[in-house]
Amino acid sequence: MKQQHQPEFLEGVKQNVSIIIALAQSLSIPFHAWLTCPGTMGARYFGFQMIIGMSALLFYAIMIVPHSPGVFLFFVMTCCWLAVHRLKLSWKRNVWGYRPHSRYVGKSVFSYLVGNRRARTVCEPIAAFIAAYYAYADGSSLSGFFLLSAVCLYVSSQYISREEQAKLQALEDARADQYWIMENMQR
């Protein structure tokens, strides 16, 4: 039996989509850190994606809007806020033995109003768009970065939500298959 191979262009499309998702996740981290309860950001946020996101924010502060101290101040404040996240996560690991899943995205500050999934997929992108609007209305140079973060946050949260739904569906399918096998083996 021959195994069907996917066309080369489809593999290229999948690779490009993966790159876009990774870039969106990276660029949304500086804004996303402010929307996450301290100490709940997953392990993936303190790695290469965070370096890319914070480097992009620093590049934006230094090269794109160099005469705007507010953007650089936001960069410094975000670094401090990420340090608070990391310190609280380390404390939770030492005291409680807390180990988040490597893909865990943390608990949203809006999760107290709605569920965490809805907070991630709806409330956080809306909050980023509102922040971009107010920054633009205020004449702040952060409006461009906030708008980019809002779009990236939306793409990232939708992807993560779909990934979680696919995992749950795979578990449901495996359970149904197991049930079917158990029923047919008894005969």
Side-chain angles (χ1 to χ4, degrees):
M1 193 172 4
K2 279 190 170 181
Q3 190 177 21
Q4 292 181 348
H5 293 285
Q6 293 180 353
E8 286 183 34
F9 78 91
L10 191 57
E11 290 177 12
V13 168
K14 285 183 178 180
Q15 183 179 6
N16 289 341
V17 168
S18 295
I19 290 170
I20 290 170
I21 295 297
L23 189 61
Q25 288 175 340
S26 298
L27 294 176
S28 68
I29 285 177
F31 194 84
H32 186 256
W34 291 98
L35 300 174
T36 305
C37 294
T40 64
M41 290 183 87
R44 75 184 183 105
Y45 284 99
F46 297 104
F48 190 65
Q49 284 186 331
M50 184 186 74
I51 292 170
I52 292 172
M54 293 305 289
S55 297
L57 179 57
L58 184 61
F59 178 80
Y60 183 76
I62 293 173
M63 301 301 261
I64 297 179
V65 287
H67 301 294
S68 178
V71 178
F72 190 74
L73 179 64
F74 180 73
F75 171 78
V76 171
M77 289 173 48
T78 303
C79 287
C80 293
W81 189 240
L82 285 168
V84 168
H85 273 287
R86 187 65 178 171
L87 289 172
K88 186 155 185 195
L89 181 63
S90 296
W91 177 77
K92 287 171 79 173
R93 280 185 179 179
N94 291 338
V95 174
W96 297 340
Y98 176 75
R99 297 267 180 211
H101 191 275
S102 63
R103 294 184 185 177
Y104 180 59
V105 293
K107 185 176 182 179
S108 174
V109 295
F110 298 112
S111 64
Y112 298 107
L113 302 174
V114 295
N116 200 42
R117 178 179 285 176
R118 181 155 294 155
R120 290 278 178 221
T121 57
V122 177
C123 296
E124 287 186 358
I126 289 173
F129 278 112
I130 290 171
Y133 172 76
Y134 279 114
Y136 179 74
D138 225 16
S140 173
S141 301
L142 278 170
S143 62
F145 188 79
F146 284 172
L147 184 60
L148 177 66
S149 291
V151 171
C152 290
L153 194 60
Y154 178 77
V155 169
S156 174
S157 65
Q158 292 301 316
Y159 174 76
I160 291 169
S161 176
R162 300 297 181 256
E163 191 178 57
E164 287 175 356
Q165 286 176 347
K167 285 179 195 174
L168 290 174
Q169 185 62 48
L171 288 171
E172 285 290 324
D173 292 346
R175 186 170 58 147
D177 288 345
Q178 210 172 30
Y179 180 75
W180 182 85
I181 289 171
M182 291 302 291
E183 276 206 358
N184 289 324
M185 286 183 72
Q186 292 177 357
R187 294 180 185 174

